[in-house]
Amino acid sequence: MNKEDYKNIFVFVEQREGKIQNVGLELLGKARELADNLKEEVYAMFLGNNIKNQAQELISFGADKVILVEDESLGVYTTEPYTQAIAQIINDKKPSIVLIGSTTIGRDLGPRVSARVNTGLTADCTKLEINPEDKELWSTRPAFGGNLMATIVCSNHRPQMSTVRPGVMQRMAQDSSRKGEVIDYKVEFHRDKFKVKVLETVKKEANIDITEAKVLVSGGRGVGSKEGFKKLEALAEVLRGEVSSSRAMVDAGIIDHERQVGQTGKTVRPNLYLACGISGAIQHVAGMESSEFIVAINKDKYAPIMQLADLGIVGDLQKIVPMLTERIKQEIK
């Protein structure tokens, strides 16, 4: 393998029911930054059925070229058709870097593709950067249960592949004047290998996506009970935000996993993050440290979360949260 034959950054832009997922736009923003450093181009890999009318949007969010693959077999995600398509694109175009969102789809697709093209994959990355000396991709992710951060380099194989959690990277501001190229790409599918067919999609009632919230009121072990979380819910309501939690409260069965922030939960980037009764273990911090403004309420002034917070309040959250809620109500009347 000659590494010089591989160039440009390819991003798999996930869509569901024809709707582009935010994680794809976030990765385009990061790819744009990395590509400018390398003086290369950003390609969006956009797969689905009857989705061509959305390709220009990907250009406005940072892509130089959109590789559009439309086929009936790609209308609903199944592993084999998507793996075949992405692997053929990689073998044909020879990208230096491939980025995929670490969603339920991405976590299934990424390992399959990396195996097909005989390269490595760094999963659940929280940081991507280019080494200024040799221009290799440095992919950083939590390791050993989140107790340290490991930076991984794929020096001997190409492409360099990474999956990134939703909410970790920041999408660039949309620029509708950007020009780019949409490439209609024909994949030679081996349809005899399609072993799974989606017969029906049954939708569950929509859940709250805390990664989209601008304000999060998050509770930890110090909240203690469902009654304690009702106080957090009242505060979140007046702030027009959502309630989230640390893993301890999920493990205790007090709150649903969909609201968990942290290494084994979701990564969030709200404008305001209120950490109530949360000590600040590294596993939790990994999921919220990029928040714009962090307020911590904790009895322990030496809790690790206090070192991260922009504003720390030392005291009993059971008293402080209701007082704060009432004060905010008065201010917004």
Side-chain angles (χ1 to χ4, degrees):
M1 182 202 71
N2 184 1
K3 290 195 288 187
E4 299 300 321
D5 294 337
Y6 293 78
K7 65 178 182 178
N8 300 318
I9 300 177
F10 282 43
V11 175
F12 169 66
V13 178
E14 184 179 321
Q15 58 80 22
R16 300 192 186 201
E17 298 183 337
K19 182 180 179 182
I20 296 170
Q21 301 299 291
N22 280 333
V23 66
L25 303 181
E26 293 166 2
L27 292 181
L28 284 177
K30 186 62 182 182
R32 180 77 272 151
E33 176 190 325
L34 299 175
D36 289 345
N37 184 310
L38 295 169
K39 296 180 172 56
E40 295 180 352
E41 291 186 313
V42 175
Y43 285 66
M45 297 181 288
F46 196 36
L47 283 63
N49 193 31
N50 299 321
I51 56 172
K52 188 171 185 176
N53 62 330
Q54 298 182 73
Q56 182 60 42
E57 183 178 351
L58 305 183
I59 294 171
S60 71
F61 277 105
D64 297 302
K65 293 182 173 66
V66 177
I67 297 178
L68 178 69
V69 185
E70 290 190 304
D71 191 273
E72 287 185 0
S73 65
L74 302 173
V76 178
Y77 176 81
T78 52
T79 306
E80 187 61 27
Y82 271 72
T83 301
Q84 286 190 24
I86 299 296
Q88 284 189 38
I89 292 170
I90 291 173
N91 288 329
D92 179 23
K93 301 294 184 180
K94 291 183 168 53
S96 175
I97 296 170
V98 173
L99 303 179
I100 298 174
S102 188
T103 61
T104 51
I105 286 176
R107 289 176 178 177
D108 178 65
L109 180 65
R112 295 294 186 111
V113 171
S114 67
R116 296 275 175 100
V117 300
N118 193 32
T119 192
L121 174 71
T122 306
D124 279 347
C125 297
T126 57
K127 185 178 180 181
L128 300 173
E129 57 187 332
I130 301 298
N131 180 5
E133 296 180 3
D134 58 15
K135 298 301 181 182
E136 299 275 359
L137 176 68
W138 285 2
S139 300
T140 302
R141 69 178 306 275
F144 292 100
N147 292 309
L148 58 83
M149 304 300 285
T151 298
I152 299 171
V153 182
C154 181
S155 299
N156 299 322
H157 295 84
R158 288 294 183 271
Q160 303 160 96
M161 287 185 62
S162 298
T163 62
V164 182
R165 285 189 181 189
V168 172
M169 304 303 172
Q170 202 159 10
R171 68 186 191 184
M172 61 178 279
Q174 187 173 15
D175 181 2
S176 299
S177 66
R178 288 191 84 251
K179 303 297 182 184
E181 180 185 357
V182 178
I183 303 168
D184 287 304
Y185 192 87
K186 182 67 175 176
V187 172
E188 298 298 327
F189 287 107
H190 299 284
R191 298 182 188 273
D192 59 317
K193 295 184 179 180
F194 295 179
K195 303 300 183 183
V196 175
K197 183 178 181 181
V198 178
L199 300 178
E200 181 184 7
T201 301
V202 179
K203 292 185 179 180
K204 184 181 176 182
E205 185 178 342
N207 295 321
I208 296 298
D209 185 0
I210 60 172
T211 64
E212 298 292 325
K214 299 299 182 184
V215 176
L216 283 174
V217 181
S218 198
R221 198 182 302 274
V223 177
S225 63
K226 289 185 178 181
E227 288 69 28
F229 267 94
K230 287 180 181 178
K231 296 175 182 177
L232 269 57
E233 289 169 5
L235 178 56
E237 184 177 353
V238 299
L239 290 171
R240 297 180 182 177
E242 296 291 341
V243 171
S244 56
S245 82
S246 67
R247 179 175 176 173
M249 294 294 92
V250 175
D251 289 348
I254 291 174
I255 198 164
D256 293 337
H257 181 265
E258 67 189 25
R259 293 183 182 269
Q260 181 185 331
V261 173
Q263 185 185 350
T264 55
K266 294 182 178 179
T267 300
V268 297
R269 193 196 292 264
N271 295 336
L272 174 63
Y273 189 88
L274 287 94
C276 306
I278 294 174
S279 63
I282 190 171
Q283 291 91 339
H284 183 78
V285 169
M288 47 69 70
E289 61 185 340
S290 295
S291 303
E292 289 293 323
F293 196 86
I294 301 170
V295 177
I297 304 174
N298 202 296
K299 287 182 178 179
D300 182 6
K301 66 179 180 180
Y302 298 110
I305 194 70
M306 293 297 194
Q307 303 301 315
L308 180 67
D310 297 286
L311 175 63
I313 303 173
V314 179
D316 184 353
L317 69 89
Q318 305 291 351
K319 297 178 181 178
I320 293 171
V321 169
M323 291 170 60
L324 185 58
T325 303
E326 290 303 316
R327 181 60 183 270
I328 294 172
K329 283 181 180 179
Q330 294 173 13
E331 292 293 330
I332 62 177
K333 280 184 179 178

